[in-house]
């Protein structure tokens, strides 16, 4: 089990006992099909809902574990609408439309299970009335809308090479008067370049990148083996292709990994960092990689770039030479609908390329 899944599973095990028995029953039902990370999202959504029920006096108890099924059966549509309004206007943290839809979808899944699948000792449904069956949860973000938001915020064609080269060479010139920045860059330049190059030549997620181990790389086949997001099988890693362009960056980093980061022999992690006060390198964190990318992006003149937008940049470039299903497989998307954003992005990219070619010919 990779580090994030292990951490999420531990948190899940801590949170489930705080839930009513029927929520725990639903979690056990879903466990074989969903990852701990996905189940943890369900639990958090149910905590929000059940806490709201108690705060509004819509349940006969003030202990979450003791909220009876009968209180769920007595809910009116007005109550669901009020909960939706509560999510949209929370003082401390108002939720986006996408988050609200996800939370309502979580409740629909629970209520559906209790009313249509789970049975009592007499073979009757556990939940006799399902108010959530009346709630329609619309997809709030269409692929075309996502593509529109990403337009102009990704690296395209030559910019991919330019950004990698910027980390290799030009960043040092931009921070020449900052001794601390120069020292950090000199120490980590090869590693940072390798990380960015690997994302831009494979489309890996940051969670997949963080969990890479030394033995997950196959140079001969140009593959890395990762635990894919959403898959609950921790015994099988998925092979993901990386382009030839990443090979030299990987080889250069590996040549100095052990000496530069004083890697202990037992440390399997591919990407290492030496934390403050430590003498030996350990696995880089997701946050460290995200902050590293943003640091270079700001100096490069594209402050909106993030690790995820680097993944989008690869995907858009990859889709130009491949079909929808190859792109879906490369990125590890569960549905081709998610991959369709690159069809919309590449339509504009191709149009701009044709316009540039016409200008050059003129």
């Amino acid at each position: 089990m990779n580090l994030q899944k292990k951490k999420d599973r531990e948190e899940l095990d801590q949170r489930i006992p705080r839930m009513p028995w029927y929520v725990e029953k639903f979690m056990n039902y879903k466990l074989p099909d969903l990852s701990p990370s996905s189940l943890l999202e369900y639990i958090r959504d149910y905590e929000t809902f059940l806490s709201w029920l108690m705060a509004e006096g819509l349940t006969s108890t003030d202990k979450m574990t003791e909220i009876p099924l009968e209180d769920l059966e007595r809910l009116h549509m007005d109550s669901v609408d009020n909960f939706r309004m509560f999510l949209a206007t929370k003082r401390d943290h108002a939720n986006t439309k996408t988050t609200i839809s996800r939370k309502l979808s979580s409740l629909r899944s629970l209520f559906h299970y209790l009313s249509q699948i789970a049975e009592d000792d007499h073979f009757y449904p556990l939940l006799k009335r399902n108010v959530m069956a009346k709630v329609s949860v619309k997809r709030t973000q269409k692929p075309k809308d996502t593509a529109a938001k990403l337009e102009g915020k990704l690296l395209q064609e030559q910019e991919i090479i330019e950004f990698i080269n910027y980390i290799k060479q030009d960043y040092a010139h931009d921070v020449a008067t900052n001794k601390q920045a120069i020292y950090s860059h000199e120490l980590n330049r090869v590693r940072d370049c390798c990380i960015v190059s690997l994302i831009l030549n494979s489309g890996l997620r940051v969670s997949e990148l963080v969990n890479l181990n030394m033995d997950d790389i196959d140079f001969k086949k140009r593959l890395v083996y990762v635990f894919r997001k959403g898959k609950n099988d921790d015994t099988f890693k998925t092979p993901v292709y990386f382009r030839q362009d990443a090979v030299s960056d990987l080889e250069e980093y590996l040549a100095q990994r052990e000496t530069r980061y004083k890697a202990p022999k037992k440390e399997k992690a591919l990407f290492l960092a030496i934390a403050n006060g430590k003498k030996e390198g350990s696995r880089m964190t997701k946050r460290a990689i995200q902050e590293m990318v943003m640091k270079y992006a700001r100096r490069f003149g594209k402050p909106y770039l993030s690790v995820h937008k680097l993944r989008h940049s690869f995907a858009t470039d990859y889709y130009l030479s491949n079909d929808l299903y190859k792109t879906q497989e490369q990125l590890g998307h569960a549905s081709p609908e998610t991959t369709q954003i690159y069809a919309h992005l590449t339509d504009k990219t191709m149009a701009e390329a044709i316009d540039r070619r016409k200008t050059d010919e003129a």
Side-chain angles (χ1 to χ4, degrees), residues 241-346:
Y241 155 86
F242 60 88
R243 288 169 168 163
Q244 180 66 35
D245 291 349
V247 172
S248 60
D249 295 316
L250 270 167
E251 288 176 338
E252 188 177 1
Y253 168 67
L254 288 173
Q256 62 166 234
R257 172 188 173 273
E258 189 172 341
T259 54
R260 180 65 57 95
Y261 296 97
K262 301 176 176 64
K265 289 184 179 180
K266 63 180 181 180
E267 180 57 75
K268 297 179 180 179
L270 174 59
F271 293 114
L272 303 177
I274 301 178
N276 289 334
K278 301 289 185 180
K279 293 182 179 180
E280 293 181 328
S282 59
R283 189 182 299 270
M284 281 189 81
T285 64
K286 184 193 292 188
R287 180 165 181 163
I289 292 176
Q290 290 167 332
E291 289 179 348
M292 176 269 289
V293 169
M294 289 189 289
K295 175 185 76 175
Y296 291 119
R298 283 192 295 269
R299 289 283 184 174
F300 187 64
K302 294 184 180 290
Y304 42 76
L305 269 182
S306 62
V307 176
H308 203 60
K309 287 190 176 70
L310 295 185
R311 172 173 153 87
H312 283 313
S313 298
F314 164 80
T316 306
D317 189 62
Y318 185 82
Y319 183 78
L320 284 167
S321 305
N322 296 276
D323 60 29
L324 181 73
Y325 295 101
K326 281 184 180 178
T327 308
Q328 178 190 352
E329 183 179 359
Q330 175 70 22
L331 296 174
H333 287 158
S335 165
E337 187 175 3
T338 308
T339 317
Q340 283 173 0
I341 64 172
Y342 305 113
H344 297 290
L345 279 166
T346 51

Side-chain angles (χ1 to χ4, degrees), residues 75-305:
L75 288 173
H76 293 279
M77 270 303 297
D78 285 347
S79 299
V80 178
D81 291 337
N82 289 337
F83 178 62
R84 194 197 302 258
M85 184 66 69
F86 162 76
L87 293 174
T89 58
K90 283 179 71 176
R91 287 185 181 179
D92 56 336
H93 182 67
N95 294 277
T96 64
K97 289 182 179 179
T98 302
T99 303
I100 292 170
S101 293
R102 196 206 71 229
K103 289 181 183 294
L104 292 175
S105 180
S106 296
L107 287 175
R108 274 176 57 95
S109 296
L110 174 65
F111 278 61
H112 174 78
Y113 167 76
L114 295 174
S115 63
Q116 300 295 321
I117 298 172
E119 299 174 336
D120 62 20
D121 293 339
H122 302 288
F123 308 108
Y124 288 105
L126 290 180
L127 194 68
K128 310 299 187 292
R129 177 179 167 274
N130 178 6
V131 67
M132 292 303 298
K134 301 177 183 179
V135 178
S136 61
V137 180
K138 297 179 181 178
R139 183 183 176 92
T140 57
Q141 191 84 332
K142 295 179 180 178
K144 192 173 182 180
D145 298 330
T146 305
K149 288 183 178 181
L150 289 172
E151 278 181 13
K153 295 181 180 179
L154 305 181
L155 298 174
Q156 295 182 5
E157 301 174 75
Q158 187 62 26
E159 287 180 328
I160 290 175
I161 299 170
E162 289 173 0
F163 186 51
I164 295 171
N165 286 336
Y166 177 77
I167 299 171
K168 281 182 181 177
Q169 301 166 359
D170 298 335
Y171 176 81
H173 299 300
D174 288 349
V175 296
T177 58
N178 187 327
K179 290 183 180 180
Q180 186 175 353
I182 284 290
Y183 172 78
S184 175
H185 181 61
E186 182 58 33
L187 178 68
N188 298 311
R189 177 182 61 84
V190 172
R191 181 203 65 188
D192 295 350
C193 183
C194 179
I195 290 172
V196 171
S197 177
L198 189 54
I199 298 170
L200 285 171
N201 285 293
S202 68
L204 288 176
R205 297 178 176 92
V206 64
S207 58
E208 295 164 350
L209 196 81
V210 164
N211 286 298
L212 279 175
N213 291 330
M214 291 290 288
D215 56 4
D216 289 331
I217 309 172
D218 184 335
F219 277 101
K220 192 172 183 180
K221 295 180 179 178
R222 277 191 282 131
L223 296 173
V224 289
Y225 293 86
V226 301
F227 289 113
R228 277 301 197 189
K229 177 184 175 183
K231 292 190 176 181
N232 202 29
D233 184 357
D234 289 316
T235 62
F236 177 74
K237 289 187 176 183
T238 303
V240 179
Y241 155 86
F242 60 88
R243 288 169 168 163
Q244 180 66 35
D245 291 349
V247 172
S248 60
D249 295 316
L250 270 167
E251 288 176 338
E252 188 177 1
Y253 168 67
L254 288 173
Q256 62 166 234
R257 172 188 173 273
E258 189 172 341
T259 54
R260 180 65 57 95
Y261 296 97
K262 301 176 176 64
K265 289 184 179 180
K266 63 180 181 180
E267 180 57 75
K268 297 179 180 179
L270 174 59
F271 293 114
L272 303 177
I274 301 178
N276 289 334
K278 301 289 185 180
K279 293 182 179 180
E280 293 181 328
S282 59
R283 189 182 299 270
M284 281 189 81
T285 64
K286 184 193 292 188
R287 180 165 181 163
I289 292 176
Q290 290 167 332
E291 289 179 348
M292 176 269 289
V293 169
M294 289 189 289
K295 175 185 76 175
Y296 291 119
R298 283 192 295 269
R299 289 283 184 174
F300 187 64
K302 294 184 180 290
Y304 42 76
L305 269 182

